[in-house]
Amino acid sequence: MTVRVRLAPSPTGDLHIGTARTALFNWLYARKNNGVFLLRIEDTDKERSKPEFTKNILEGLKWLGLTWDEQPVLQSERIAEHRKAIVSLLKKGLAYRCYATEAELQLMRDTQANSGAAPHYDNRHRNLTSEEESKFVEEGRTCVIRFRIDQQSTITWNDIVRGPMQWNSKDLGGDIVISRRAPANEIGDPLYNLVVVVDDAAMKISHVIRGEDHLSNTAKQILLYQALDLPQPVFAHTPLILSAEGKKLSKRDGVTSISDFKKMGYTSNALTNYMTLLGWSPPDGMEEKFSLKDSSLVFDFNRVNKAGAKFDWDKLNWLNSQEIHDWSPDKLLEELKSIWLSEGWISPDKEWSLKLVELIGPSLTLLNDGLEESRIFFDEPSLQNDAIKQLEMEGAKEALSYIFKKIEKNKWNGQNQDVAKSIISDCAKSLGVKKGLIMKSLRAALMGTLKGPDLISSWGLLAMQSKDLPRLKKVL
Ligand code: GLU
């Protein structure tokens, strides 16, 4: 059997991390089994679906490296097929028109709530006589179409994550609506469970891999496969991604869309690595840091947990920093250049830029950290409190003035670090002050704060751009 899997996102929002993780597990399973990974855009909700969300989803998947194999299917273009399936169910007597009004249904739900019963449709229009039906039509009532759910059956399937599954049909909330409300002689817009079954069958999907929030849908869909005489795929329900508190991850937890993670400076490799670990554990001997290629060689559902996976920012950050630290200076420079540009900073030349990248690279966790880490090399710093205090220390100004005079006479071009080191040593000897004081004061003057990367390298970068002298002059 050729493995054919799919992601079926609804373009009603940006690519969410939960959807991206589902995409990832589908993609890994397809790649591991030489199968195909397909996309179906479920854009039938006309009010909530937006082309900009489709764009965001496709761009996000591409950025993550989760490429798809055939032209994406647009669900809205398949409505004729969905309608055909509804007509066939009506003909077989497996679906029927339900004329209950919104007000009647509300009353039914209120009564159920008052008596403590679980909300369900009570199948009241399942067996209307033709007289009853004609009467509703004459009244001008609209109707939905419902699929009959035998109340006595047990639905079973073998889930490749969760093992043997069992669902009582009476827990599915009564006969389900498969098309939206419409005039009595029409078929309204077909709805989710029906269209998914029709489309998955048409796309010859072999494995439906999706979040465990779809378990009850799977039970309903199995009944629809049977009713429509369609071959049933294998199901895999993956654990949900939970917040650090163990609740379902939601917008309230801050960033949840892939484009936001990208904007914050996460790399696509660290994200796919981390998302794979959200629910899957690598086989013994495999490190926790791996590429998509590595995991696609060994991925299988035996190593996917049933329990929800808690989102751990520290771990994601660690993976991201490891990823950035593994990059070549050239690759990191490419990324940092666009971050610098966003601030209007143009790097003077490649040699200088690469030196800066090598200096700050090891301290980056997020790519965007490169903005603050680079700031003092582009913008004139203002003196922070720690620097002001340092410059008031006894001997600080004298030392800086000594250094200023030295380099005013004989400019350091920033290249040979021994030159800078000997200027500092000479200063210490001549003035009889500690090297520590000189270096701290120099840092305060050049960078405006006592924190920051290696002093001599930073000074070198500033000297290469002749920015050291004016900064020293300013504090004297
Ligand atoms: N459009 C559905 C969703 O985004 C698809 C679910 C499924 O995979 O069947 O939740």
Side-chain angles (χ1 to χ4, degrees), residues 350-393:
K350 186 148 183 203
E351 187 201 350
W352 183 89
S353 307
L354 280 175
K355 275 188 192 265
L356 175 54
V357 165
E358 276 167 27
L359 177 65
I360 63 172
S363 58
L364 303 183
T365 297
L366 302 179
L367 285 169
N368 289 12
D369 295 342
L371 193 68
E372 286 318 310
E373 299 276 334
S374 312
R375 186 173 292 283
I376 58 135
F377 299 100
F378 292 96
D379 281 349
E380 191 71 29
S382 52
L383 292 184
Q384 307 292 308
N385 281 340
D386 57 352
I388 294 174
K389 271 204 195 116
Q390 176 64 32
L391 294 170
E392 282 163 359
M393 302 268 292

Side-chain angles (χ1 to χ4, degrees), residues 301-320:
F301 279 104
N302 294 337
R303 308 195 66 84
V304 171
N305 300 324
K306 287 189 203 126
K310 276 193 193 169
F311 199 89
D312 177 352
W313 286 97
D314 289 341
K315 185 145 186 187
L316 172 60
N317 287 341
W318 179 78
L319 286 169
N320 207 62

Side-chain angles (χ1 to χ4, degrees), residues 373-437:
E373 299 276 334
S374 312
R375 186 173 292 283
I376 58 135
F377 299 100
F378 292 96
D379 281 349
E380 191 71 29
S382 52
L383 292 184
Q384 307 292 308
N385 281 340
D386 57 352
I388 294 174
K389 271 204 195 116
Q390 176 64 32
L391 294 170
E392 282 163 359
M393 302 268 292
E394 205 188 314
K397 291 264 165 79
E398 291 73 16
L400 294 181
S401 149
Y402 177 96
I403 293 173
F404 179 81
K405 280 185 200 133
K406 265 261 153 116
I407 51 178
E408 194 186 30
K409 224 195 291 154
N410 214 346
K411 242 181 103 204
W412 179 40
N413 66 8
Q415 295 290 351
N416 182 356
Q417 296 205 347
D418 290 342
V419 174
K421 285 178 194 156
S422 68
I423 295 176
I424 294 171
S425 298
D426 292 349
C427 175
K429 261 188 238 137
S430 312
L431 303 185
V433 287
K434 290 221 167 78
K435 262 195 203 168
L437 176 101

